[in-house]
């Protein structure tokens, strides 16, 4: 545009098919006025023929004259031997043009008409006012614009090439990543299959072990009750040990069955309304023998504002039993274990406040090291995983706890005990199950019980 204003002529850039890419018309109106004349439109402007692909273009400027005597310069735009398009400069007034060519008057109607004469006169005046651009200067101008254009094309093309290389490199990296992803996905699939195999193996074996074990337990009970005659004191002790060990084995098998049920997604929550103090009493009763064996004092307390809650009672009981049995197991003789329940407003990640109960199982035992506090909730994880460990167990109790609590929309974690002694397991359960928990429940019950065992 600056070029065009400076030299008072139009500039156009066309691509190789004659498509106009840039068109800056000349400021003077001579051509426009002639085309607007009733017979002028039919004359056809030189510009139209320059645009057409038939017009030869060259690396040196070529001229084309219009019927009105004004002139155009034409130059090829090339890049690496290929013709990309053409550049047009004009119409401008060449040095020898002082009057309108006679041919124009003839074409417009032989100037017989008074109005035609007036028209030609005023166009002639326009022409005289127009500044002359000598042809050699016009050629320098178009060559200069051509030079600028080819620099633009060149740098543009270089950039284009660089970005193509860039894109190709990224595409390569992407392909490689996709391939890696695919292999990873394959591995994950295989691992999942293996995991399923493991779960169904555990479920089958546990199920098969449980049946004979119930007979062992049943017959020991009958022996102890004297159904097969009186036992000597020694026989009685032996059978009692068989019964205790059998019970223990059954608990382990049930834990494994619980975990395989959880993993197969077959666990359902059965909601009912129940009273927390009642539940605490039951759990304490069930755990009392274990506590007494180690002379551990087992207590419980529920704040007076703790309401009845809607949850799966059996699973909540299981949660407390698992936590209390851990607390007893990991607390040395003479310690204390207590269950404390309070009412609590729990604010979730989205800022929604939910009425909940908070159950704390507090012990004075060995505590859980800081770096194991997340891991202990994983299946089979034990802080002391050595074969020489003192405390028995499968490492499944807490993973069951976590699953049951979270299925209710609750949370569980472990904290330091008071004065750095022992540990506190904290469970928060919503007083009423949140909507998404209920929805999930009805979906899983619609699937039906596909569980093994
Ligand atoms: N009250 C506790 N005090 C100290 N450590 C605990 C306590 N409860 C759990 N742990 C640690 O967490 C591990 C996992 O517990 P759990 O899943 O119940 O498995 P298990 O009782 O069969 O070992 C335990 O082996 C123990 O290392
Ligand atoms: Mg345990």
């Amino acid at each position: 545009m600056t070029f065009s204003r400076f030299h008072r002529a139009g500039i156009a850039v066309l691509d190789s098919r004659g498509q106009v890419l840039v068109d800056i018309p000349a400021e003077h109106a001579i051509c426009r006025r002639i085309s607007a004349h009733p017979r002028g439109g039919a004359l056809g402007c030189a510009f139209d023929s320059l645009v057409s692909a038939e017009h030869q273009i060259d690396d040196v400027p070529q001229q084309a004259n219009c019927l009105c005597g004004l002139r155009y310069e034409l130059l090829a735009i090339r890049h690496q031997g290929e013709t990309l398009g053409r550049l047009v400069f004009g119409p401008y007034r060449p040095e020898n043009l002082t009057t309108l060519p006679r041919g124009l008057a003839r074409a417009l109607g032989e100037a017989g008409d008074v109005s035609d004469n007036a028209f030609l006169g005023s166009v002639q005046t326009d022409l005289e006012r127009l500044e002359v651009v000598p042809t050699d200067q016009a050629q320098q101008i178009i060559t200069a614009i051509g030079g600028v254009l080819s620099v633009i094309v060149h740098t543009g093309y270089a950039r284009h090439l660089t970005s193509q290389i860039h894109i190709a490199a990224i595409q390569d990296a992407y392909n490689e990543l996709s391939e890696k992803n695919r292999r990873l996905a394959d591995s994950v699939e295989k691992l999942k299959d293996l995991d399923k195999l493991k779960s169904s193996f555990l479920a089958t074996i546990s199920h098969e072990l449980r049946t004979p074990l119930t007979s062992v337990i049943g017959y020991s009970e009958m022996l102890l009750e004297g159904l097969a005659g009186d036992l000597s004191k020694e026989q009685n002790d032996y059978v009692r040990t068989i019964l205790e060990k059998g019970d223990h084995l059954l608990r382990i098998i049930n834990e494994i069955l619980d975990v395989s049920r959880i993993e197969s997604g077959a666990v359902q929550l059965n909601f009912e309304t129940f009273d927390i103090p009642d539940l605490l009493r039951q759990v304490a009763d069930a755990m009392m023998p274990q506590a007494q064996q180690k002379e551990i004092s087992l207590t419980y307390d529920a704040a007076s504002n703790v309401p009845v809650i809607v949850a799966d009672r059996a699973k909540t009981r299981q949660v407390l039993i698992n936590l209390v049995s851990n607390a007893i197991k990991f607390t040395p003789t003479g310690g204390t274990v207590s269950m404390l329940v309070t009412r609590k407003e729990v604010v979730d990640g989205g800022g929604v406040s939910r009425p909940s109960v908070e159950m704390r199982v507090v012990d004075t035992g060995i505590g859980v090291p800081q770096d194991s506090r997340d891991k202990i909730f994983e299946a089979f994880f034990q802080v002391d995983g050595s074969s020489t460990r003192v405390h028995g167990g499968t490492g499944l109790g807490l993973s069951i706890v976590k699953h049951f609590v979270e299925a209710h929309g609750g949370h569980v974690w472990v904290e330091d005990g008071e004065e750095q002694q022992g540990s506190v397991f904290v469970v928060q359960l919503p007083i009423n199950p949140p909507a998404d928990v209920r929805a999930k429940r009805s979906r899983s019950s619609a699937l039906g019980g596909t569980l093994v065992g």
Side-chain angles (χ1 to χ4, degrees):
M1 196 169 280
T2 323
F3 265 103
S4 159
R5 292 280 142 74
F6 189 69
H7 299 294
R8 289 187 202 76
I11 293 174
V13 179
L14 309 142
D15 71 8
S16 57
R17 282 160 304 164
Q19 193 89 28
V20 179
L21 304 178
V22 174
D23 184 14
I24 304 155
E27 277 187 330
H28 65 81
I30 298 177
C31 292
R32 257 169 284 146
R33 290 190 61 190
I34 294 173
S35 334
H37 186 275
R39 283 178 294 281
L43 298 178
C45 187
F47 184 75
D48 299 332
S49 76
L50 298 180
V51 167
S52 85
E54 279 104 69
H55 201 101
Q56 283 302 310
I57 40 171
D58 207 343
D59 289 336
V60 291
Q62 286 175 286
Q63 292 80 48
N65 283 341
C66 225
L67 208 56
C68 57
L70 294 178
R71 184 172 288 174
Y72 287 95
E73 295 288 335
L74 186 65
L75 187 66
I77 303 170
R78 294 203 213 274
H79 179 72
Q80 294 183 340
E82 199 185 330
T83 306
L84 300 182
R86 57 192 69 192
L87 180 62
V88 180
F89 175 77
Y92 68 92
R93 178 183 170 195
E95 58 271 53
N96 49 10
L97 180 65
T98 44
T99 52
L100 290 173
R102 291 217 28 82
L104 179 66
R106 243 188 327 244
L108 286 182
E110 206 35 87
D113 197 319
V114 182
S115 66
D116 278 349
N117 271 335
F119 174 72
L120 284 171
S122 88
V123 174
Q124 169 73 31
T125 316
D126 277 0
L127 181 68
E128 280 163 16
R129 283 211 198 104
L130 201 61
E131 207 174 308
V132 169
V133 183
T135 307
D136 59 341
Q137 198 181 323
Q139 290 181 351
Q140 279 170 16
I141 294 169
I142 193 168
T143 313
I145 303 175
V148 171
L149 252 184
S150 77
V151 171
I152 294 176
V153 167
H154 203 88
T155 41
Y157 188 67
R159 271 208 201 141
H160 173 72
L161 276 187
T162 331
S163 49
Q164 293 278 303
I165 293 172
H166 217 85
I167 291 173
I170 289 175
Q171 183 72 45
D172 259 10
Y174 175 80
N175 287 347
E176 200 175 308
L177 259 179
S178 310
E179 173 58 20
K180 279 195 182 140
N181 258 343
R182 202 189 50 72
R183 284 209 298 264
L184 258 179
D186 278 357
S187 310
V188 169
E189 271 317 304
K190 275 191 203 127
L191 279 177
K192 274 190 190 156
D193 284 350
L194 274 178
D195 200 51
K196 263 191 215 141
L197 197 65
K198 179 212 72 188
S199 299
S200 76
F201 170 77
L202 282 179
T204 319
I205 291 292
S206 314
H207 190 61
E208 291 305 312
L209 288 176
R210 197 160 64 164
T211 323
L213 191 57
T214 23
S215 304
V216 171
I217 291 171
Y219 281 112
S220 326
E221 278 168 352
M222 288 187 326
L223 280 176
L224 283 176
E225 281 163 21
L227 293 184
D230 288 343
L231 300 180
S232 71
K233 168 155 182 347
E234 217 167 23
Q235 284 168 333
N236 197 77
D237 286 351
Y238 287 176
V239 175
R240 195 167 294 284
T241 308
I242 293 175
L243 182 59
E244 260 168 34
K245 300 297 173 192
D247 273 338
H248 185 204
L249 201 52
L250 187 62
R251 270 202 304 280
I252 293 177
I253 290 173
N254 282 339
E255 271 185 354
I256 296 178
L257 274 175
D258 271 342
V259 167
S260 37
R261 265 192 213 116
I262 287 171
E263 285 180 354
S264 70
V267 169
Q268 298 177 19
L269 298 182
N270 301 309
F271 289 107
E272 54 187 303
T273 307
F274 61 90
D275 200 40
I276 297 278
D278 259 6
L279 181 68
L280 294 182
R281 193 172 315 120
Q282 269 192 15
V283 171
D285 284 351
M287 299 309 295
M288 205 50 90
Q290 255 171 274
Q292 276 166 353
Q293 256 178 21
K294 290 181 78 178
E295 288 163 29
I296 285 174
S297 105
L298 173 61
T299 62
Y300 60 92
D301 184 48
S304 57
N305 64 352
V306 170
V308 292
I309 75 168
V310 182
D312 185 315
R313 190 179 196 278
K315 292 194 173 61
T316 311
R317 178 177 182 274
Q318 182 76 52
V319 164
L320 285 173
I321 295 264
N322 286 8
L323 292 179
V324 171
S325 82
N326 278 348
I328 294 172
K329 180 160 66 170
F330 295 105
T331 298
T333 314
T336 58
V337 170
S338 43
M339 294 180 275
L340 305 168
V341 182
T342 51
R343 188 192 164 110
K344 191 108 183 175
E345 286 298 315
V346 174
V347 180
D348 69 10
V352 179
S353 166
R354 184 173 288 155
S356 305
V357 290
E358 187 173 276
M359 311 195 270
R360 303 170 80 84
V361 176
V362 185
D363 66 43
T364 54
I366 60 173
V368 181
Q370 197 78 36
D371 58 347
S372 302
R373 292 193 178 175
D374 286 334
K375 288 190 233 142
I376 53 170
F377 293 98
E378 288 168 15
F380 299 110
F381 182 89
Q382 298 179 304
V383 173
D384 181 1
S386 66
S387 56
T388 53
R389 65 173 188 270
V390 219
H391 309 288
T394 51
L396 292 174
L398 288 181
S399 80
I400 295 171
V401 166
K402 184 176 164 74
H403 184 86
F404 284 175
V405 170
E406 288 180 354
H408 279 89
H411 307 282
V412 57
W413 68 91
V414 60
E415 287 176 2
D416 273 327
E418 272 153 40
E419 289 144 24
Q420 305 297 312
Q421 223 221 331
S423 39
V424 182
F425 281 80
V426 187
V427 172
Q428 291 178 337
L429 280 186
I431 287 172
N432 284 297
D436 55 330
V437 170
R438 280 183 190 277
K440 225 180 283 156
R441 191 193 92 87
S442 55
R443 208 171 34 251
S444 66
S445 49
L447 282 175
T450 53
L451 56 130
V452 257

